[in-house]
Amino acid sequence: MSATPSADGRLTGMDGRDLVRSVAAVAGLGLVRSWWPGRGDAAAVERARVPGRAVGAEPGPGGGVVRFERSALRGRVTTAGAVFCGWDGAGPTPSPLVRAELVEPDARARLEPHTAGGWRVVSERLTVAVSSAGAVELCTPGGVLLRRDLPPRWWERGEGGPARWARRSEVGADARFFGLGGSGAGLRLGDGVHPVPGGAGVAPVQLVLADAGTHLVVPDGTEAGTVRLAEGAEGAGSGHDRPGRAEWRGAGGPPRHWMAVGTPARALASWAAVAGTPEVAPVSVIGVGGSGGPAARPRTRVPPQGAAAGDGWAAMRAALARLTALGVCGAAPAGAEGDGPGKGAPAEVWVRWWQLGAYLPVFRTGAGPEGWEARPALAELARVALAERRRLLPYHAALGAFAGLTGVPAVRPVWWNTPEDRGLREGGDAFLLGDAFLVVPVLGPGGGPATVRLPGGRWYDTATGRAYQGGASVPVEVAADRLPVFARAGAVVPVRGADGEVEWEVWAPAPGRTGAGMVVRESGALERVVSRWEEGRVVVREELPAGRGAEVSVPVRVRGVG
């Protein structure tokens, strides 16, 4: 059957077999005529270069180079478990994102022949398979497919203009994308086009969560680009799943990116091992108005997101979303940017801002609503929030030290420890402060959400002590003088006691389970402890590589019992 153009230029009369034959014929040319989006004149038609067929390979430490008819792909797995992919033979360094001295190849990972003329690299943490046509598949050590990158395309203009490229990726039908999207709307990246910053110090990390596992991808380019995302959909029993898709577009050089596999914490730690861990602000900084003190600038910098205008609630929501996204990107921001919801914001907004600040890495109080010092009730609410912040200073210090060692942020998405929970992937404003607390911010007038979904395990309402079983939504009790906060069973939290000295606040572990915590000692070292039931009481002991450590000498206050 032949295909003929209709009046509006579309092809008609083509059946499925004709379409398959046409696509196969075009693919066989190796050079595809294509339009670059945004070009408005017919003279902008350009030819796209594709890799072609694989013609050989050169194994090397951590991977090697697969050569194609019109390009070459260099892959390298590092000792930390991160993998680099660079087309046109591009290497992992020099790079605006990673530190050359940290990119140590895993000598145990080698490039080896694979099926159908392809190649693969097998390592302890992941497997990377390269097809004979240039598709790259990222798999778990057990061979479960997490991501498929289709062969890239390049546009190289004859007039000497910048080269451009596009690369399409496919992920599981249930996968969801998270990262710094540039809008301040939240950590979840929905369907549509999102900016990808480029240049020195910028790390637009994207985490992809799916039932099969979690993986991280970081485009490593010198020029800004875009990524168009489309979430997938499951076939509801029909077997016809639609995979999630990402189309990356950039300029200024060949496609280069990093990937890592594992839990969110492990994947981010793999990235931090080659990019460097962030600098962390001192927890003693408590910003008042514009005098917040010198906050450490993270090594990972990102361009500012669009400002949120309105009555103050939108600004607070955007600040929290940005803070969480920066943490996922491997940065350690000091706290919510700016010094409050803005002039003219209602007193209720300011109160919730202060209460939120007690659970952020740095407390930026802002100037407060006009005349608030003369309003005793409002001043008391500010005092309560500040007191909670000071009580938690030892815990903030421990989280900051841990972030400086591993790159794992203090403020984390609720799915951080349980990414397999689909209900947690769908978003929401709640966040984790370390492993111990789940905080439910109030980001709108009238009292906040009625329920919140808790991650798996036992949790306690810190105000009432009532225990809840996670993996489900539970009621939220919102009061004027505090935010709803839940503590994980077994959590051991260093806090400042009434006498100003550090003590342990322990939330009773579930029967037969243990818990853990950490504190920064005067020497600057992190000390880890464990909690467990022994002879009918909850005890806290020093964590040792083997054997049972001694009970801690500082006071222990057990909560969640009785």
Side-chain angles (χ1 to χ4, degrees):
M1 179 182 293
S2 62
T4 59
S6 65
D8 59 3
R10 295 176 299 170
L11 292 178
T12 61
M14 177 180 286
D15 62 17
R17 289 187 297 272
D18 294 320
L19 180 59
V20 171
R21 285 193 293 268
S22 298
V23 171
V26 170
L29 293 176
L31 295 176
V32 182
R33 294 179 66 82
S34 178
W35 291 92
W36 182 263
R39 307 293 293 185
D41 57 90
V45 176
E46 302 169 291
R47 290 185 179 272
R49 172 168 60 96
V50 294
R53 308 297 295 180
V55 296
E58 301 172 7
V65 178
V66 180
R67 299 201 176 277
F68 296 85
E69 294 172 321
R70 287 174 291 277
S71 188
L73 173 64
R74 185 183 301 275
R76 180 176 298 176
V77 179
T78 70
T79 54
V83 59
F84 170 82
C85 293
W87 282 96
D88 281 353
T93 57
S95 163
L97 298 183
V98 304
R99 295 164 59 180
E101 70 274 15
L102 300 179
V103 183
E104 182 179 352
D106 184 352
R108 299 169 298 175
R110 303 287 293 186
L111 189 64
E112 60 186 33
H114 195 35
T115 59
W119 298 80
R120 71 175 181 179
V121 178
V122 180
S123 72
E124 180 182 357
R125 298 190 184 182
L126 51 82
T127 297
V128 179
V130 182
S131 75
S132 60
V136 179
E137 294 184 345
L138 178 67
C139 305
T140 67
V144 178
L145 179 64
L146 297 179
R147 180 185 195 88
R148 177 183 291 111
D149 291 334
L150 302 181
R153 295 167 290 158
W154 294 266
W155 285 265
E156 298 165 314
R157 293 184 59 87
E159 294 87 7
R164 300 181 296 276
W165 55 266
R167 175 172 55 85
R168 294 179 179 176
S169 305
E170 295 181 349
V171 296
D174 66 302
R176 296 296 180 262
F177 304 95
F178 296 88
L180 188 68
S183 65
L187 183 64
R188 170 90 169 270
L189 300 177
D191 293 353
V193 178
H194 302 274
V196 177
V202 178
V205 174
Q206 186 182 102
L207 277 172
V208 184
L209 276 58
D211 289 352
T214 298
H215 72 275
L216 169 152
V217 60
V218 186
D220 187 357
T222 58
E223 301 293 334
T226 62
V227 58
R228 180 184 295 275
L229 301 177
E231 293 180 349
E234 295 178 294
S238 68
H240 299 289
D241 291 348
R242 186 181 74 243
R245 292 185 172 89
E247 183 175 32
W248 303 81
R249 290 184 177 269
R256 306 156 37 108
H257 65 284
W258 290 84
M259 297 182 291
V261 173
T263 64
R266 188 168 188 176
L268 190 56
S270 294
W271 166 245
V274 295
T277 55
E279 300 172 1
V280 181
V283 297
S284 58
V285 173
I286 300 178
V288 180
S291 58
R297 296 181 63 85
R299 291 196 188 112
T300 305
R301 299 190 302 274
V302 293
Q305 294 176 291
D311 56 7
W313 295 112
M316 187 160 58
R317 183 185 299 273
L320 179 59
R322 179 173 173 79
L323 175 68
T324 309
L326 282 171
V328 168
C329 286
E337 293 187 351
D339 291 307
K343 295 181 179 179
E348 182 185 5
V349 180
W350 280 99
V351 169
R352 297 307 186 185
W353 175 269
W354 293 329
Q355 293 169 349
L356 174 62
Y359 300 99
L360 298 182
V362 166
F363 190 175
R364 301 182 69 96
T365 63
E370 185 175 354
W372 69 274
E373 301 94 335
R375 300 165 63 179
L378 195 57
E380 174 62 16
L381 292 174
R383 187 199 65 79
V384 171
L386 184 60
E388 176 67 359
R389 161 70 187 181
R390 295 192 178 195
R391 190 181 77 89
L392 292 176
L393 275 179
Y395 185 52
H396 282 295
L399 293 177
F402 190 67
L405 290 173
T406 66
V408 174
V411 175
R412 308 166 188 173
V414 290
W415 42 256
W416 188 257
N417 296 310
T418 53
E420 68 279 2
D421 187 336
R422 292 192 178 191
L424 295 177
R425 295 182 208 160
E426 297 307 316
D429 297 315
F431 62 89
L432 298 176
L433 180 61
D435 286 330
F437 295 120
L438 184 146
V439 182
V440 185
V442 176
L443 302 177
T451 63
V452 66
R453 183 176 180 86
L454 298 177
R458 176 179 289 188
W459 294 81
Y460 298 98
D461 185 322
T462 59
T464 65
R466 180 178 177 181
Y468 294 94
Q469 188 61 34
S473 295
V474 302
V476 171
E477 298 181 12
V478 181
D481 61 346
R482 60 176 175 83
L483 296 181
V485 178
F486 295 85
R488 188 189 304 272
V492 186
V493 184
V495 298
R496 180 176 290 178
D499 59 357
E501 299 298 322
V502 174
E503 63 182 31
W504 290 110
E505 179 178 274
V506 185
W507 292 88
R513 306 298 295 270
T514 62
M518 56 187 175
V519 67
V520 178
R521 291 305 181 192
E522 292 183 0
S523 63
L526 269 176
E527 177 185 309
R528 299 184 64 90
V529 297
V530 294
S531 64
R532 59 168 58 90
W533 284 95
E534 293 182 9
E535 300 179 355
R537 68 187 184 98
V538 176
V539 298
V540 179
R541 296 183 179 274
E542 298 175 357
E543 184 181 65
L544 297 178
R548 189 171 67 171
E551 288 194 44
V552 297
S553 58
V554 300
V556 174
R557 184 162 59 98
V558 180
R559 302 187 62 182
V561 178

